[in-house]
Amino acid sequence: MGEVLALVEARLRTALGEPDARAAVTFLGTDRIEVLRFVDGDLVRYATLGMSARPMADPTAVLADPVKGPRAELVLTVRAGLADTDKVLRPLAVLASTPQVEGVVVAPGASLDVGEPLWPDAPFGSVLVAESGGLVEDLELDEPMDPVRFLPLLPMTSNEAAWKRVHGAQALEERWLAHGTDLRDPLRRSVPLD
């Protein structure tokens, strides 16, 4: 477990540089989740560390495989200085612990909801999980372990989350693209959905 996390942290440092802050959260009955903060010019990136320590288990499986299964960490990027986004640390740790707590497999296209604003006065209480392989390359592990995927999180307003449930993740992403939505703006309004 520790060896996997050391490799994951090394991959994050290679892709994003040195973290300038880190925080750790432990929920009852779960492994410790850390959130690392990386500053890149006018952008702040938050990456979880700990979610990939164990493979995510199919909730219908009778027994969870301790070696095989998808592994992931979460990455959120926002513009710096516009909102108190450092308060996202706990909500990110909550999202990263959902595979252990709720037995879900976090995958691209999924919606994750924290039930409260991601940071003070944020118009977002949920995120859309995007495809890995962009900002931080997947980390291959020794067989038979699956690679660790670094999944970007795209904040959604409650209206966008409801619209996505009906029309799907791809339709929402296409709508964001068509309207030139700045998904890194921590104060942005909902994209037009009519």
Side-chain angles (χ1 to χ4, degrees), residues 7 26 37 57 82 92 97 107 124 128 138 141 155 173 183 191-192:
L7 293 170
T26 305
R37 182 179 72 187
L82 301 176
L92 269 182
S97 68
F124 321 105
L128 175 64
D138 294 348
L141 299 173
E173 290 185 61
L183 297 173
V191 71

Side-chain angles (χ1 to χ4, degrees), residues 3-5 7-8 11 51-57 66-74 105-108 131-133 136-151:
E3 184 181 321
V4 169
L5 294 184
L7 293 170
V8 168
R11 175 58 54 94
M51 182 177 170
S52 62
R54 301 173 194 268
M56 293 180 276
V67 178
K68 289 184 176 179
R71 294 174 188 257
E73 296 291 352
L74 307 175
V105 175
V106 176
E131 290 287 341
S132 67
V136 183
E137 286 184 40
D138 294 348
L139 173 65
E140 296 295 329
L141 299 173
D142 293 337
E143 291 289 336
M145 293 188 283
D146 289 21
V148 176
R149 304 201 185 287
F150 297 88
L151 302 171

Side-chain angles (χ1 to χ4, degrees), residues 12 17 35 37 58 81 89 103 107 113 137 147 156-157 162 167 170 174-175 179 189:
L12 286 169
V35 179
R37 182 179 72 187
D58 180 343
L89 301 177
D113 193 328
E137 286 184 40
M156 294 188 292
T157 65
H167 300 280
Q170 185 176 350
E174 288 170 1
R175 188 160 284 260
H179 288 274
R189 298 190 182 281

Side-chain angles (χ1 to χ4, degrees), residues 61-144:
V62 176
L63 288 174
D65 190 315
V67 178
K68 289 184 176 179
R71 294 174 188 257
E73 296 291 352
L74 307 175
V75 180
L76 173 70
T77 302
V78 292
R79 296 210 178 283
L82 301 176
D84 188 8
T85 56
D86 281 350
K87 296 286 197 289
V88 78
L89 301 177
R90 184 169 176 78
L92 269 182
V94 168
L95 295 178
S97 68
T98 55
Q100 286 184 60
V101 175
E102 298 177 21
V104 297
V105 175
V106 176
S111 299
L112 301 175
D113 193 328
V114 293
E116 62 184 34
L118 291 174
W119 51 83
D121 302 319
F124 321 105
S126 61
V127 293
L128 175 64
V129 180
E131 290 287 341
S132 67
L135 185 62
V136 183
E137 286 184 40
D138 294 348
L139 173 65
E140 296 295 329
L141 299 173
D142 293 337
E143 291 289 336

